[in-house]
Amino acid sequence: MTTTVTTFLWFDTQAEEAANLYTSLVADSRITDISRMPDGSAFIVSLELAGHSITLMNGGPAHPHTDAASIQVVVDGQEEVDRLWSAFTADGTPGPCGWLTDEYGLSWQIVPSGLPALMGGTEPARTAAVTTALRAMSKIDLKTLQDAYDNA
C-alpha cells in the first residue's frame, strides 16, 4: 500500500469554481477528478497545483476558511509575484507580508524564490533589515527587500 498526503479544504458551495480559478492561475496545474451529487453539482474536486495534490469539498457553510492555514506558492521573479497577487486579490483581500485572502476566503502566500536567501543569511543585521522591510509590505517587493539587505 502506498501512503499519500493531500491537502483537503472545505468550501461552502464553490469548490469547482475555486478549482477552476486556482488551476488557471498556477502553472502546471490541473483538475484531476470531480465527484458530483445527484443534482450535478460538484461534491469533491481533486486537483494538482504545480504537482501538489489538493482536494476541495462542498460541505456547506459550517467550516469557513481562516488564515490559520494557507497555501504558499513560491515563484521565480517579481513579475510572477505581481501577476498572481493581482489575480488573487482582484476579488480577494491583500494581507501582510505576502499573504492574501482570495474571493473564497482561502489564505495564500505569494513568495518570490529569492526570499529565503535574504531571510536566512548568516549576517543578523541584514536578516533583521529584510525582516523589518517585509513586515511593512503587503505584496512582497523583492527589490525593496534586496535593497534592505544590501544597505544593512
Side-chain angles (χ1 to χ4, degrees):
M1 181 174 160
T2 302
T3 300
T4 61
V5 176
T6 300
T7 300
F8 193 97
L9 301 169
W10 181 303
F11 284 74
D12 183 2
T13 61
Q14 322 89 329
E16 185 172 13
E17 181 181 325
N20 284 320
L21 175 66
Y22 302 159
T23 57
S24 75
L25 294 176
V26 178
D28 300 320
S29 298
R30 65 191 179 100
I31 294 173
T32 58
D33 190 48
I34 301 175
S35 299
R36 297 198 177 274
M37 300 292 286
D39 68 1
S41 64
F43 177 49
I44 303 289
V45 181
S46 299
L47 59 140
E48 290 179 0
L49 291 181
H52 178 81
S53 295
I54 298 178
T55 301
L56 311 181
M57 179 183 78
N58 284 326
H63 299 284
H65 301 292
T66 74
D67 60 0
S70 64
I71 296 176
Q72 183 182 62
V73 182
V74 179
V75 299
D76 288 330
Q78 189 66 47
E79 186 174 307
E80 189 64 358
V81 169
D82 295 345
R83 183 187 74 80
L84 288 174
W85 186 269
S86 293
F88 279 118
T89 60
D91 293 313
T93 306
C97 303
W99 291 58
L100 62 89
T101 303
D102 71 18
E103 62 189 277
Y104 308 105
L106 185 62
S107 291
W108 295 79
Q109 299 172 59
I110 309 301
V111 179
S113 59
L115 182 60
L118 296 173
M119 298 289 297
T122 58
E123 299 177 53
R126 288 183 173 203
T127 300
V130 172
T131 301
T132 299
L134 179 63
R135 287 184 177 162
M137 294 179 181
S138 185
K139 177 180 71 174
I140 294 177
D141 180 330
L142 192 53
K143 181 179 180 335
T144 299
L145 296 176
Q146 184 68 56
D147 289 348
Y149 182 88
D150 292 342
N151 296 321

